[in-house]
């Protein structure tokens, strides 16, 4: 009676049921009583719960939708695309039984609101939760790209595939993987939030691990195998040996220097390699190509004997020198100290350039350390030796002032070498410290070679040697103990300044007389001529040691020896007087 009352007063599903009953079961000549009986019979059946999955039958397919009878005298419409996986065409026809999700028993048009997609999702979640609990793989297809990864259809449920979980190595183009049905491993899932995270990489790693173990078991160190170059990096190349990758390091590709693996390898190329090392624990395999070739170092000492000269190519330049390739696989180092005779503090890159062909001399070979020491300057003559041969001491040269220091001038000479003029070799007169200020960098000067030291790589020059030494010209014949006549040029408290043939000398007060009372500078006058005794001739200091006192003492000694003895009591005046009288007679 309640349901009849609901029909009369308007209860749940009333319009939909009335339309369904009239269309399906009620003949054209049926009475109202028959209709009410039929309605009451329909209410005896339990109405399905909203939010559950129910079975239905396809009544018709039209306008891209399927009309589905979900029983209980209810019908609903579902878009055909919900009956196919991404990228597939739906295969649906009237009479097919399907499961749908009942969202609502009635909408504004009196139809049930149903969804195949939500039914598939509920079904999928039940299946995926069981697979997650049992740690089983699930099948799915990548169908979209999102920030940080991809979306995967797991048969009704959508999962997130992070970019790092797509493959064991970064994938640049995921196009070939789109829409392809393949297995995935569920890493995490939360049904309440609707989140599922899957990994394709875990499947690949597991499969690779099994395959790797099998392949490695059949490999041994020293074995020669064929492989395909799978990937190239700056430090080497990964070679596929048939299910397992081995690393071919750049240093094991060739005996010669390889700047980048792409110089000799290409992706997809088949190469013959030797297994160098196998790590059973990490399953890492080290490969080599150069090991299949003859080691050029075995014949280095024969091909490149010490002091032999060869032409090589510069392969690398560093701060400490340059590497020169003598032949493929054999490189030697030209240390910066062996690059030039004259350029001592210059970067090697300013002397040679990469790929330049140069002549070098073999200086040393260490086969154990696989090192060859080379010399670049040794292929040229020592410029100091050449200069010594062509410019012996006394040769006059001309050059540009390259540098001025506190101890002299550096002058550029032939052969790109420098000679030095010391302060003491700038002038005969005056102080070198004062004269050096008259020179400037860039000045062209003349000088004489005074010494060439090839071992120390030094050349000594003299500017003053271009002229005769006025001191030697003036005092060349003067000897110590000789009596000479000088002219007084200046009177000072400490003595007098005198001149001899243009050379200045100074006589101290204590040397002005034998008699202390006569040791007075003021008793002399400028221009006076005075006889003095030479006490010292010093070419280094260019000075004459003079003394009036020494002359007087020498004269007294000579007079005593000739005219008498001082022991007889006669004074010097008596002796000299007697000597003068004798001379008068």
């Amino acid at each position: 009676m309640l349901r009849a009352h609901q029909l009369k007063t308007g209860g749940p599903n009333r319009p939909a049921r009335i339309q369904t009953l009239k269309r399906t079961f009620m003949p054209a000549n049926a009475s109202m009583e028959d209709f009410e009986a039929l309605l009451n019979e329909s209410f005896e059946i339990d109405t399905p719960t909203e939010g559950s999955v129910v079975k239905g039958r396809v009544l018709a397919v039209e306008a891209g939708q399927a009309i589905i009878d979900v029983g209980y005298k209810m019908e609903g419409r579902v878009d055909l695309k919900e009956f196919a996986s991404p990228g597939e065409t739906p295969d649906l026809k009237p009479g097919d039984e399907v499961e749908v999700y009942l969202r609502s028993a009635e909408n504004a048009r009196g139809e049930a609101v149903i969804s195949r997609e939500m039914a598939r999702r509920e079904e999928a979640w039940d299946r995926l939760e069981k697979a997650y609990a049992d740690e089983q793989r699930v099948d799915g297809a990548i169908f979209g790209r999102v920030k940080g990864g991809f979306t995967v259809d797991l048969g009704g449920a959508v999962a997130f595939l992070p970019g790092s979980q797509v493959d064991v190595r970064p994938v640049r183009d995921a196009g070939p993987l789109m829409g392809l049905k393949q297995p995935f491993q569920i890493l995490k899932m939360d049904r309440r939030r609707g989140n599922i995270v899957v990994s394709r990489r875990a499947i690949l790693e597991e499969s690779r691990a099994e395959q790797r173990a099998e392949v490695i078991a059949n490999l041994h160190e020293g074995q020669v195998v064929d492989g395909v170059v799978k990937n190239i990096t700056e430090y080497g190349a990964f070679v596929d040996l048939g299910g397992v990758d081995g690393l071919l390091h750049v240093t094991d590709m060739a005996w010669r220097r390889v700047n980048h693996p792409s110089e000799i390898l290409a992706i997809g190329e088949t190469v013959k390699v030797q297994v160098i090392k196998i790590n059973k624990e990490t399953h890492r395999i080290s490969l080599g190509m150069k090991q299949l070739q003859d080691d050029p170092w075995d014949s280095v000492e024969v091909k490149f004997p010490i002091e032999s000269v060869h032409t090589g190519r510069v392969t690398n330049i560093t701060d400490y020198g340059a590497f020169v390739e003598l032949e493929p696989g054999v490189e030697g180092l030209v240390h910066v100290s062996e690059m030039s005779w004259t350029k001592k503090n210059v970067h090697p890159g300013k002397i040679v350039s990469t790929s330049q062909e140069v002549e070098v001399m073999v200086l040393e070979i260490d086969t154990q350390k696989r090192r060859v020491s080379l010399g670049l300057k040794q292929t040229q003559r020592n410029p100091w030796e050449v200069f010594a041969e062509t410019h012996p001491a006394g040769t006059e040269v001309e050059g540009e002032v390259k540098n001025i220091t506190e101890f002299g001038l550096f002058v550029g000479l032939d052969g790109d070498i420098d000679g030095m003029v010391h302060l003491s070799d700038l002038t005969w007169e005056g102080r070198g410290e004062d004269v050096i200020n008259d020179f400037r960098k860039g000045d062209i000067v003349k000088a004489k070679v005074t010494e060439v030291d090839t071992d120390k790589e030094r050349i000594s020059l003299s500017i003053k040697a271009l002229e005769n030494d006025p001191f030697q010209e003036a005092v060349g014949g003067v000897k110590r103990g000789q009596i000479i006549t000088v002219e007084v040029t200046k009177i000072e408290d400490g003595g007098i300044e005198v001149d001899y043939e243009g050379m200045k000398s100074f006589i101290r007060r204590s040397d002005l007389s034998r008699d202390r009372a006569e040791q007075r500078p003021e008793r002399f006058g400028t221009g006076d001529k005075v006889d003095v005794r030479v006490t010292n001739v010093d070419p280094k200091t260019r000075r004459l040691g003079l003394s009036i006192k020494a002359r007087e003492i020498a004269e007294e000694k000579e007079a005593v020896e000739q005219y008498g003895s001082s022991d007889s009591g006669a004074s010097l005046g008596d002796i000299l007087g007697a000597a003068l009288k004798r001379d008068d007679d």
Side-chain angles (χ1 to χ4, degrees):
M1 295 300 293
L2 175 59
R3 289 179 179 175
H5 173 73
Q6 288 175 340
L7 179 61
K8 295 176 182 178
T9 59
N13 306 323
R14 179 175 180 274
R17 292 210 170 191
I18 291 174
Q19 295 299 326
T20 302
L21 290 172
K22 282 182 178 180
R23 182 174 66 249
T24 310
F25 300 101
M26 191 172 177
N29 59 352
S31 64
M32 188 66 184
E33 288 76 8
D34 295 333
F35 177 70
E36 184 174 355
L38 184 62
L39 182 63
N40 288 335
E41 182 183 348
S42 71
F43 277 121
E44 293 300 325
I45 305 173
D46 289 337
T47 303
T49 306
E50 293 181 352
S52 63
V53 177
V54 297
K55 289 187 177 182
R57 182 170 56 87
V58 179
L59 298 177
V61 177
E62 56 184 30
Q65 292 183 321
I67 301 174
I68 301 174
D69 176 11
V70 295
Y72 318 106
K73 310 307 179 184
M74 291 186 294
E75 297 175 1
R77 295 175 179 269
V78 180
D79 290 339
L80 289 178
K81 64 181 181 181
E82 293 190 23
F83 289 90
S85 299
E88 297 180 357
T89 302
D91 182 16
L92 197 67
K93 60 184 181 296
D96 288 348
E97 285 194 356
V98 293
E99 287 187 341
V100 292
Y101 183 85
L102 180 61
R103 301 176 63 182
S104 175
E106 182 182 352
N107 61 11
R109 295 186 298 179
E111 296 178 342
V113 181
I114 57 179
S115 170
R116 171 58 183 162
E117 183 177 346
M118 294 182 69
R120 291 175 67 242
R121 185 179 304 168
E122 291 298 315
E123 178 187 350
W125 272 96
D126 292 340
R127 175 173 50 82
L128 295 175
E129 283 184 332
K130 185 177 183 306
Y132 180 55
D134 296 340
E135 296 184 354
Q136 295 180 346
R137 302 175 180 180
V138 295
D139 291 333
I142 302 173
F143 68 91
R145 184 187 295 272
V146 295
K147 184 178 181 181
F150 303 87
T151 51
V152 180
D153 178 21
L154 299 177
V158 177
F160 173 64
L161 174 63
S164 61
Q165 295 297 322
V166 177
D167 205 331
V168 292
R169 292 191 180 88
V171 175
R172 296 184 179 179
D173 182 15
L177 300 176
M178 303 295 283
L180 181 66
K181 198 168 185 179
Q182 54 191 313
F184 294 89
Q185 187 76 40
I186 300 176
L187 301 181
K188 183 173 63 174
M189 64 184 303
D190 187 337
R191 187 163 189 168
R192 184 174 60 85
R193 295 184 178 181
N195 292 337
I196 305 177
V197 180
V198 296
S199 171
R200 178 174 175 268
R201 175 177 179 174
I203 303 297
L204 296 176
E205 286 180 341
E206 183 179 346
S207 175
R208 284 169 59 86
E210 296 173 358
Q211 192 175 19
R212 180 185 290 264
E214 181 180 352
V215 174
I216 289 179
N218 297 323
L219 292 177
H220 60 270
E221 295 181 1
Q223 183 178 354
V224 178
V225 295
D226 290 331
V228 179
V229 179
K230 191 173 183 181
N231 192 23
I232 294 178
T233 67
E234 291 186 356
Y235 55 86
F238 288 94
V239 180
D240 185 359
L241 303 178
V244 61
D245 290 349
L247 175 61
L248 175 59
H249 197 272
V250 64
T251 57
D252 288 311
M253 291 182 179
W255 291 109
R256 66 177 179 86
R257 180 190 297 270
V258 179
N259 295 319
H260 195 277
S262 59
E263 294 179 6
I264 56 177
L265 294 177
I267 294 178
E269 179 183 358
T270 300
V271 294
K272 190 175 294 291
V273 293
Q274 184 180 69
V275 179
I276 299 175
K277 186 177 181 181
I278 300 177
N279 190 320
K280 299 294 184 180
E281 297 179 356
T282 62
H283 288 183
R284 291 183 178 177
I285 304 174
S286 298
L287 305 174
M289 284 177 60
K290 72 179 184 181
Q291 287 76 7
L292 301 177
Q293 306 167 1
D294 293 334
D295 187 352
W297 281 89
D298 293 341
S299 58
V300 164
E301 291 180 322
V302 176
K303 290 184 178 179
F304 308 101
I306 303 298
E307 294 187 356
S308 61
V309 177
H310 306 271
T311 299
R313 181 177 60 88
V314 178
T315 58
N316 192 27
I317 297 175
T318 66
D319 291 337
Y320 54 85
F323 288 91
V324 176
E325 183 183 61
L326 299 176
E327 70 172 11
V330 178
E331 284 186 349
L333 172 65
V334 181
H335 193 268
V336 64
S337 62
E338 306 294 345
M339 302 200 78
S340 173
W341 289 108
T342 57
K343 298 174 182 178
K344 300 297 184 182
N345 299 313
V346 178
H347 190 276
K350 293 186 177 181
I351 300 177
V352 295
S353 57
T354 304
S355 299
Q356 178 184 351
E357 288 194 350
V358 294
E359 277 197 345
V360 290
M361 177 181 287
V362 179
L363 304 180
E364 184 180 352
I365 296 177
D366 188 334
T367 53
Q368 290 186 346
K369 295 182 178 179
R370 304 173 75 90
R371 293 178 181 175
V372 178
S373 297
L374 304 174
L376 188 64
K377 70 180 183 181
Q378 285 79 0
T379 60
Q380 304 169 354
R381 287 200 63 192
N382 185 333
W384 279 273
E385 293 179 355
V386 175
F387 188 89
E389 294 175 2
T390 57
H391 299 78
T395 304
E396 186 175 321
V397 294
E398 183 178 77
E400 179 184 347
V401 176
K402 298 290 187 179
N403 195 20
I404 300 175
T405 67
E406 60 182 7
F407 50 82
L409 307 175
F410 284 91
V411 180
L413 303 172
D414 295 340
D416 199 23
I417 57 179
D418 292 342
M420 191 190 76
V421 182
H422 193 268
L423 290 176
S424 60
D425 286 307
L426 289 175
T427 180
W428 293 112
E429 304 292 339
R431 298 171 64 247
E433 291 83 349
D434 299 330
V435 177
I436 196 172
N437 295 325
D438 297 333
F439 294 91
R440 297 289 181 271
K441 289 180 66 174
D443 288 352
I444 302 299
V445 297
K446 292 182 178 181
K448 278 191 176 182
V449 178
T450 57
E451 183 183 5
V452 179
D453 191 331
T454 57
D455 292 336
K456 295 182 179 180
E457 299 181 349
R458 292 178 183 175
I459 299 175
S460 299
L461 305 176
S462 175
I463 292 178
K464 70 179 184 181
L466 295 171
E467 301 176 353
N468 293 328
D469 185 358
F471 179 80
Q472 289 296 330
E473 290 184 347
V475 302
V478 176
K479 297 180 181 180
R480 183 178 178 184
Q482 184 177 345
I483 304 298
I484 60 174
T485 300
V486 298
E487 180 179 349
V488 179
T489 56
K490 191 174 181 180
I491 309 297
E492 298 181 4
D493 292 339
I496 61 175
E497 183 186 74
V498 298
D499 177 86
Y500 177 74
E501 300 294 338
M503 298 301 302
K504 303 292 184 182
S505 295
F506 189 78
I507 303 176
R508 297 174 298 176
R509 175 189 288 268
S510 59
D511 286 314
L512 291 179
S513 176
R514 181 172 178 275
D515 188 352
R516 293 180 61 87
E518 295 299 321
Q519 293 176 351
R520 294 176 293 106
E522 59 270 17
R523 72 185 181 92
F524 297 92
T526 303
D528 289 354
K529 296 289 195 299
V530 181
D531 290 339
V532 296
R533 183 183 176 90
V534 179
T535 58
N536 186 35
V537 179
D538 190 346
K540 292 185 178 180
T541 60
R542 299 168 53 78
R543 291 191 176 277
L544 286 176
L546 304 176
S547 173
I548 299 176
K549 176 180 178 181
R551 188 210 72 199
E552 292 178 345
I553 293 175
E555 288 178 347
E556 177 182 356
K557 182 177 180 181
E558 182 181 356
V560 169
E561 290 176 352
Q562 291 184 7
Y563 301 106
S565 171
S566 57
D567 295 337
S568 61
S571 66
L572 178 59
D574 295 337
I575 295 173
L576 291 177
L580 290 173
K581 182 177 181 183
R582 187 175 305 169
D583 290 340
D584 291 339
D585 297 339

